[in-house]
PDB file of all heavy atoms in Angstrom:
ATOM      1  N   ASP S 322      54.001   6.803  23.152  1.00 96.00           N
ATOM      2  CA  ASP S 322      53.108   6.136  22.202  1.00 96.00           C
ATOM      3  C   ASP S 322      51.888   7.019  21.961  1.00 96.00           C
ATOM      4  O   ASP S 322      50.735   6.633  22.182  1.00 96.00           O
ATOM      5  CB  ASP S 322      52.679   4.769  22.754  1.00 96.00           C
ATOM      6  CG  ASP S 322      52.032   3.892  21.702  1.00 96.00           C
ATOM      7  OD1 ASP S 322      52.056   4.272  20.511  1.00 96.00           O
ATOM      8  OD2 ASP S 322      51.496   2.815  22.066  1.00 96.00           O
ATOM      9  N   PRO S 323      52.096   8.253  21.485  1.00 96.00           N
ATOM     10  CA  PRO S 323      51.043   9.254  21.467  1.00 96.00           C
ATOM     11  C   PRO S 323      49.883   8.972  20.522  1.00 96.00           C
ATOM     12  O   PRO S 323      48.792   9.505  20.711  1.00 96.00           O
ATOM     13  CB  PRO S 323      51.774  10.526  21.005  1.00 96.00           C
ATOM     14  CG  PRO S 323      52.944  10.029  20.237  1.00 96.00           C
ATOM     15  CD  PRO S 323      53.360   8.771  20.915  1.00 96.00           C
ATOM     16  N   GLY S 324      50.095   8.108  19.522  1.00 95.00           N
ATOM     17  CA  GLY S 324      49.017   7.814  18.574  1.00 95.00           C
ATOM     18  C   GLY S 324      48.034   6.793  19.092  1.00 95.00           C
ATOM     19  O   GLY S 324      47.042   6.500  18.426  1.00 95.00           O
ATOM     20  N   ARG S 325      48.285   6.234  20.283  1.00 96.00           N
ATOM     21  CA  ARG S 325      47.409   5.220  20.866  1.00 96.00           C
ATOM     22  C   ARG S 325      46.406   5.873  21.790  1.00 96.00           C
ATOM     23  O   ARG S 325      46.745   6.698  22.637  1.00 96.00           O
ATOM     24  CB  ARG S 325      48.252   4.195  21.633  1.00 96.00           C
ATOM     25  CG  ARG S 325      47.449   3.045  22.250  1.00 96.00           C
ATOM     26  CD  ARG S 325      48.394   1.992  22.821  1.00 96.00           C
ATOM     27  NE  ARG S 325      49.258   2.532  23.829  1.00 96.00           N
ATOM     28  CZ  ARG S 325      48.936   2.580  25.144  1.00 96.00           C
ATOM     29  NH1 ARG S 325      47.777   2.119  25.573  1.00 96.00           N
ATOM     30  NH2 ARG S 325      49.797   3.062  26.037  1.00 96.00           N
ATOM     31  N   LEU S 326      45.134   5.487  21.665  1.00 97.00           N
ATOM     32  CA  LEU S 326      44.092   5.937  22.609  1.00 97.00           C
ATOM     33  C   LEU S 326      44.225   5.156  23.883  1.00 97.00           C
ATOM     34  O   LEU S 326      44.095   3.935  23.899  1.00 97.00           O
ATOM     35  CB  LEU S 326      42.710   5.697  21.967  1.00 97.00           C
ATOM     36  CG  LEU S 326      41.506   6.165  22.801  1.00 97.00           C
ATOM     37  CD1 LEU S 326      41.432   7.694  22.838  1.00 97.00           C
ATOM     38  CD2 LEU S 326      40.208   5.595  22.242  1.00 97.00           C
ATOM     39  N   ASP S 327      44.489   5.836  24.994  1.00 97.00           N
ATOM     40  CA  ASP S 327      44.720   5.195  26.278  1.00 97.00           C
ATOM     41  C   ASP S 327      43.949   5.978  27.340  1.00 97.00           C
ATOM     42  O   ASP S 327      44.395   7.031  27.791  1.00 97.00           O
ATOM     43  CB  ASP S 327      46.216   5.175  26.608  1.00 97.00           C
ATOM     44  CG  ASP S 327      46.522   4.517  27.941  1.00 97.00           C
ATOM     45  OD1 ASP S 327      45.575   4.067  28.610  1.00 97.00           O
ATOM     46  OD2 ASP S 327      47.707   4.457  28.309  1.00 97.00           O
ATOM     47  N   LEU S 328      42.789   5.451  27.741  1.00 97.00           N
ATOM     48  CA  LEU S 328      41.919   6.172  28.658  1.00 97.00           C
ATOM     49  C   LEU S 328      42.486   6.291  30.059  1.00 97.00           C
ATOM     50  O   LEU S 328      41.985   7.096  30.863  1.00 97.00           O
ATOM     51  CB  LEU S 328      40.546   5.493  28.713  1.00 97.00           C
ATOM     52  CG  LEU S 328      39.807   5.310  27.383  1.00 97.00           C
ATOM     53  CD1 LEU S 328      38.371   4.852  27.608  1.00 97.00           C
ATOM     54  CD2 LEU S 328      39.815   6.581  26.538  1.00 97.00           C
ATOM     55  N   ARG S 329      43.509   5.515  30.378  1.00 96.00           N
ATOM     56  CA  ARG S 329      44.139   5.598  31.697  1.00 96.00           C
ATOM     57  C   ARG S 329      45.411   6.472  31.661  1.00 96.00           C
ATOM     58  O   ARG S 329      46.092   6.603  32.668  1.00 96.00           O
ATOM     59  CB  ARG S 329      44.516   4.208  32.181  1.00 96.00           C
ATOM     60  CG  ARG S 329      43.332   3.260  32.363  1.00 96.00           C
ATOM     61  CD  ARG S 329      42.785   3.345  33.769  1.00 96.00           C
ATOM     62  NE  ARG S 329      41.855   2.281  34.083  1.00 96.00           N
ATOM     63  CZ  ARG S 329      40.945   2.370  35.033  1.00 96.00           C
ATOM     64  NH1 ARG S 329      40.831   3.485  35.730  1.00 96.00           N
ATOM     65  NH2 ARG S 329      40.121   1.373  35.292  1.00 96.00           N
ATOM     66  N   ARG S 330      45.688   7.105  30.555  1.00 95.00           N
ATOM     67  CA  ARG S 330      46.903   7.907  30.408  1.00 95.00           C
ATOM     68  C   ARG S 330      46.832   9.141  31.328  1.00 95.00           C
ATOM     69  O   ARG S 330      45.787   9.718  31.544  1.00 95.00           O
ATOM     70  CB  ARG S 330      47.042   8.364  28.953  1.00 95.00           C
ATOM     71  CG  ARG S 330      48.318   9.100  28.654  1.00 95.00           C
ATOM     72  CD  ARG S 330      48.232   9.793  27.302  1.00 95.00           C
ATOM     73  NE  ARG S 330      48.012   8.882  26.198  1.00 95.00           N
ATOM     74  CZ  ARG S 330      48.976   8.244  25.556  1.00 95.00           C
ATOM     75  NH1 ARG S 330      50.232   8.437  25.906  1.00 95.00           N
ATOM     76  NH2 ARG S 330      48.682   7.434  24.540  1.00 95.00           N
ATOM     77  N   ASP S 331      48.004   9.541  31.841  1.00 93.00           N
ATOM     78  CA  ASP S 331      48.087  10.798  32.559  1.00 93.00           C
ATOM     79  C   ASP S 331      48.226  11.917  31.524  1.00 93.00           C
ATOM     80  O   ASP S 331      49.287  12.144  30.980  1.00 93.00           O
ATOM     81  CB  ASP S 331      49.305  10.795  33.502  1.00 93.00           C
ATOM     82  CG  ASP S 331      49.448  12.109  34.270  1.00 93.00           C
ATOM     83  OD1 ASP S 331      48.574  12.991  34.114  1.00 93.00           O
ATOM     84  OD2 ASP S 331      50.425  12.252  35.038  1.00 93.00           O
ATOM     85  N   ASN S 332      47.126  12.573  31.249  1.00 92.00           N
ATOM     86  CA  ASN S 332      47.133  13.601  30.200  1.00 92.00           C
ATOM     87  C   ASN S 332      46.702  14.971  30.718  1.00 92.00           C
ATOM     88  O   ASN S 332      46.148  15.763  30.004  1.00 92.00           O
ATOM     89  CB  ASN S 332      46.228  13.171  29.039  1.00 92.00           C
ATOM     90  CG  ASN S 332      44.885  12.670  29.511  1.00 92.00           C
ATOM     91  OD1 ASN S 332      44.345  13.172  30.491  1.00 92.00           O
ATOM     92  ND2 ASN S 332      44.352  11.658  28.845  1.00 92.00           N
ATOM     93  N   ARG S 333      47.042  15.213  31.990  1.00 89.00           N
ATOM     94  CA  ARG S 333      46.636  16.481  32.590  1.00 89.00           C
ATOM     95  C   ARG S 333      47.324  17.686  31.919  1.00 89.00           C
ATOM     96  O   ARG S 333      46.828  18.811  32.029  1.00 89.00           O
ATOM     97  CB  ARG S 333      46.974  16.482  34.077  1.00 89.00           C
ATOM     98  CG  ARG S 333      46.072  15.564  34.903  1.00 89.00           C
ATOM     99  CD  ARG S 333      46.572  15.401  36.331  1.00 89.00           C
ATOM    100  NE  ARG S 333      47.823  14.631  36.353  1.00 89.00           N
ATOM    101  CZ  ARG S 333      48.493  14.338  37.447  1.00 89.00           C
ATOM    102  NH1 ARG S 333      48.025  14.768  38.626  1.00 89.00           N
ATOM    103  NH2 ARG S 333      49.616  13.647  37.387  1.00 89.00           N
ATOM    104  N   ARG S 334      48.405  17.456  31.216  1.00 95.00           N
ATOM    105  CA  ARG S 334      49.112  18.574  30.567  1.00 95.00           C
ATOM    106  C   ARG S 334      48.803  18.688  29.078  1.00 95.00           C
ATOM    107  O   ARG S 334      49.493  19.392  28.355  1.00 95.00           O
ATOM    108  CB  ARG S 334      50.650  18.408  30.780  1.00 95.00           C
ATOM    109  CG  ARG S 334      51.078  18.640  32.209  1.00 95.00           C
ATOM    110  CD  ARG S 334      52.535  18.209  32.448  1.00 95.00           C
ATOM    111  NE  ARG S 334      53.468  18.946  31.624  1.00 95.00           N
ATOM    112  CZ  ARG S 334      54.017  20.124  31.926  1.00 95.00           C
ATOM    113  NH1 ARG S 334      53.675  20.719  33.034  1.00 95.00           N
ATOM    114  NH2 ARG S 334      54.879  20.682  31.128  1.00 95.00           N
ATOM    115  N   GLN S 335      47.752  17.998  28.628  1.00 96.00           N
ATOM    116  CA  GLN S 335      47.411  18.082  27.215  1.00 96.00           C
ATOM    117  C   GLN S 335      46.972  19.512  26.869  1.00 96.00           C
ATOM    118  O   GLN S 335      46.437  20.239  27.685  1.00 96.00           O
ATOM    119  CB  GLN S 335      46.331  17.068  26.851  1.00 96.00           C
ATOM    120  CG  GLN S 335      44.997  17.217  27.557  1.00 96.00           C
ATOM    121  CD  GLN S 335      44.035  18.124  26.828  1.00 96.00           C
ATOM    122  OE1 GLN S 335      44.283  18.554  25.688  1.00 96.00           O
ATOM    123  NE2 GLN S 335      42.917  18.447  27.469  1.00 96.00           N
ATOM    124  N   LEU S 336      47.191  19.891  25.598  1.00 96.00           N
ATOM    125  CA  LEU S 336      46.977  21.266  25.160  1.00 96.00           C
ATOM    126  C   LEU S 336      45.804  21.424  24.176  1.00 96.00           C
ATOM    127  O   LEU S 336      45.729  22.407  23.465  1.00 96.00           O
ATOM    128  CB  LEU S 336      48.264  21.800  24.499  1.00 96.00           C
ATOM    129  CG  LEU S 336      49.544  21.753  25.338  1.00 96.00           C
ATOM    130  CD1 LEU S 336      50.727  22.257  24.503  1.00 96.00           C
ATOM    131  CD2 LEU S 336      49.382  22.565  26.615  1.00 96.00           C
ATOM    132  N   GLY S 337      44.919  20.454  24.172  1.00 95.00           N
ATOM    133  CA  GLY S 337      43.847  20.493  23.201  1.00 95.00           C
ATOM    134  C   GLY S 337      42.939  21.703  23.275  1.00 95.00           C
ATOM    135  O   GLY S 337      42.313  22.085  22.292  1.00 95.00           O
TER     136      GLY S 337
END
Side-chain angles (χ1 to χ4, degrees):
D322 195 8
R325 181 172 60 90
L326 182 71
D327 180 0
L328 304 190
R329 298 270 192 202
R330 185 193 300 274
D331 179 3
N332 47 35
R333 288 170 292 180
R334 289 169 60 86
Q335 62 89 8
L336 303 178

